[in-house]
Amino acid sequence: MAVGARSGHDEPDKRAGGAFGDDTTGDDVTGDQQANPPGGGAPGDGDGGDEAAGGSGRTPKKQRSFWKELPLLVGIALVLALLIKTFLVQAFSIPSESMMNTLQKGDRVLVDKLTPWFGSEPERGEVVVFHDPGGWLEGQTAPTPNVVQKFLSFIGLMPSAEEKDLIKRVIAVGGDTVSCKEGGKVVLNGVPLDESSYLYPGSVPCQDSFGPIKVPENRIWVMGDNRQNSLDSRFHQQLPGGGTVSNDEVVGRAVVIAWPVTRWATLPVPEIFDNPALNKAMSAAPLAAAGLAGALPLVLWRRKKLAVRHTAEQ
């Protein structure tokens, strides 16, 4: 009686095995589907039933567990961090007071390492990080980092753990002539520099005279902003290079103070280094030398001609 009430008295319900009362799929499909199930099989056929239930006959793939994907994500993040540190930017810690007040001890700066890969060279006024040219850090001991600090500094997530790098401001580049008299201003290519915008308050441009020094090509002359507390190019003139630093030793330009957040600031080039007179003065010396070299043969020829005339008159 229960079967008749569901399927009708005149037509018996057709189900797998021909049994009456088996009601597993009858309520979920239309009459046409009961008569001709998907897949071309008979009602109740195993293949047709699977396609009707699953649509495609295939069970969906189970999503991978987050914990199984985590090591892969961590690995990708470490590789990206290493690539960024190697080719793009790197964090450095300021270990001394030689660049105050521009940079304070404990600041973290981000250094642009990308542009040197495209042939960019240090320019006047930039704050740069460079490797010890040899002997600049002699006798100074750096704190010994632990294994975690070494690893994080290796991939660039912490400042350099080796602490064998220095940070100073570029004052002169290859071809420039720089000098300073005690208590006076630094003179670059004959132009006195007004450094008041970045020198440590109360600091004089130089407490001891130096120069004039002609900076060799592909080298730079660097000085700290805290002139009375900076062992810069002035104090290493007895070393190879005469106190200058090779461009190849430069890691990159410090572009921003990243930490602490209360000290966040960019590190632009001071306006005094945009003075066109610096380039004119630098180019005037080679022109004068070229003019002298060109005039010398003419002077010798004229003297020889006068000597011949004087001999003929006698």
Side-chain angles (χ1 to χ4, degrees):
M1 295 297 294
V3 173
R6 181 176 295 273
S7 58
H9 295 287
D10 297 333
E11 183 179 355
D13 192 10
K14 298 180 181 179
R15 293 179 177 84
F20 292 176
D22 188 348
D23 193 24
T24 56
T25 60
D27 290 340
D28 297 332
V29 293
T30 64
D32 291 339
Q33 288 174 321
Q34 286 179 329
N36 188 16
D45 184 81
D47 293 336
D50 288 342
E51 291 187 5
S56 63
R58 293 176 297 178
T59 57
K61 293 183 179 179
K62 186 178 180 181
Q63 189 174 5
R64 184 180 297 178
S65 169
F66 169 77
W67 298 109
K68 291 182 179 180
E69 291 185 348
L70 183 60
L72 178 61
L73 296 175
V74 172
I76 293 174
L78 292 179
V79 171
L80 290 176
L82 182 59
L83 291 175
I84 290 173
K85 174 245 183 179
T86 303
F87 300 105
L88 298 180
V89 295
Q90 183 176 357
F92 284 86
S93 177
I94 306 304
S96 71
E97 300 175 349
S98 66
M99 284 295 293
M100 289 181 63
N101 273 343
T102 304
L103 300 173
Q104 296 184 6
K105 187 175 181 179
D107 283 352
R108 304 293 198 270
V109 297
L110 296 183
V111 174
D112 169 25
K113 301 177 69 175
L114 177 62
T115 51
W117 286 90
F118 294 94
S120 175
E121 296 184 350
E123 297 183 2
R124 306 183 197 107
E126 293 180 344
V127 177
V128 297
V129 171
F130 56 95
H131 300 308
D132 183 357
W136 285 42
L137 295 177
E138 185 176 355
Q140 298 187 28
T141 58
T144 304
N146 56 39
V147 176
V148 175
Q149 290 174 327
K150 286 184 178 180
F151 175 73
L152 293 178
S153 65
F154 173 73
I155 62 176
L157 296 181
M158 280 189 64
S160 175
E162 298 299 326
E163 296 292 350
K164 292 183 179 179
D165 301 311
L166 300 97
I167 185 166
K168 305 291 179 188
R169 188 180 298 276
V170 179
I171 301 299
V173 297
D176 288 342
T177 299
V178 60
S179 63
C180 187
K181 292 185 178 180
E182 182 179 355
K185 293 183 177 181
V186 172
V187 178
L188 179 60
N189 295 332
V191 179
L193 299 180
D194 180 7
E195 302 181 278
S196 57
S197 64
Y198 57 82
L199 283 185
Y200 181 69
S203 179
V204 297
C206 63
Q207 65 270 40
D208 297 317
S209 301
F210 68 87
I213 296 171
K214 180 70 175 291
V215 181
E217 292 295 331
N218 299 316
R219 301 186 74 87
I220 55 176
W221 177 272
V222 297
M223 300 174 72
D225 290 354
N226 187 3
R227 297 287 164 80
Q228 277 66 59
N229 192 14
S230 176
L231 296 178
D232 47 42
S233 291
R234 299 169 293 166
F235 299 94
H236 300 98
Q237 297 182 55
Q238 76 284 1
L239 298 175
T244 62
V245 179
S246 170
N247 290 354
D248 294 336
E249 299 288 346
V250 176
V251 177
R253 174 188 172 185
V255 293
V256 65
I257 303 173
W259 186 264
V261 292
T262 54
R263 295 255 314 138
W264 192 94
T266 57
L267 297 170
V269 174
E271 293 182 0
I272 60 169
F273 292 99
D274 294 330
N275 187 349
L278 296 176
N279 294 325
K280 290 181 180 179
M282 184 177 65
S283 60
L287 289 176
L292 179 61
L296 185 60
L298 181 62
V299 172
L300 294 176
W301 173 80
R302 181 175 176 79
R303 291 190 58 170
K304 183 177 180 181
K305 185 176 180 180
L306 292 174
V308 171
R309 180 185 297 179
H310 181 71
T311 302
E313 290 176 354
Q314 291 180 344

